Amino acid sequence: DTEMKEAEPKKERDLQCNVYTLEYRKRYFYFLKEKHMKPKEEASAANVNYDTARKWKKTYDDDPERDIPVKKTNKTS
């Protein structure tokens, strides 16, 4: 037979997700389009995570007609 033990309590997560408003996105794309800074400098100046900024830029590069990419949500309307 197998002896069952009490489950260990869940550990607190150190990471947290950032929620970026449209204002953050506009600020990042301002630095991207107008200031022509290096990618890390753009992200830092806009106070945005570098990896997040890379995703925004890739989305923009894939379809520049869309203008500033917005977060995909599960809206039902």
Side-chain angles (χ1 to χ4, degrees), residues 19-27 56:
V19 178
Y20 296 111
T21 62
L22 185 58
E23 197 61 37
Y24 282 100
R25 294 168 194 266
K26 286 180 181 178
R27 192 176 308 130
W56 292 349

Side-chain angles (χ1 to χ4, degrees), residues 13-63:
R13 289 183 62 183
D14 292 336
L15 301 175
Q16 70 180 42
C17 295
N18 293 328
V19 178
Y20 296 111
T21 62
L22 185 58
E23 197 61 37
Y24 282 100
R25 294 168 194 266
K26 286 180 181 178
R27 192 176 308 130
Y28 171 73
F29 279 96
Y30 167 76
F31 290 118
L32 175 71
K33 294 178 184 179
E34 303 295 326
K35 296 294 184 178
H36 306 289
M37 301 165 84
K38 293 182 179 179
K40 278 205 176 205
E41 293 172 349
E42 294 164 353
S44 178
N47 199 22
V48 175
N49 182 288
Y50 174 66
D51 293 323
T52 302
R54 280 186 29 229
K55 291 176 189 174
W56 292 349
K57 186 176 184 316
K58 181 182 180 328
T59 303
Y60 176 77
D61 289 343
D62 290 346
D63 188 10

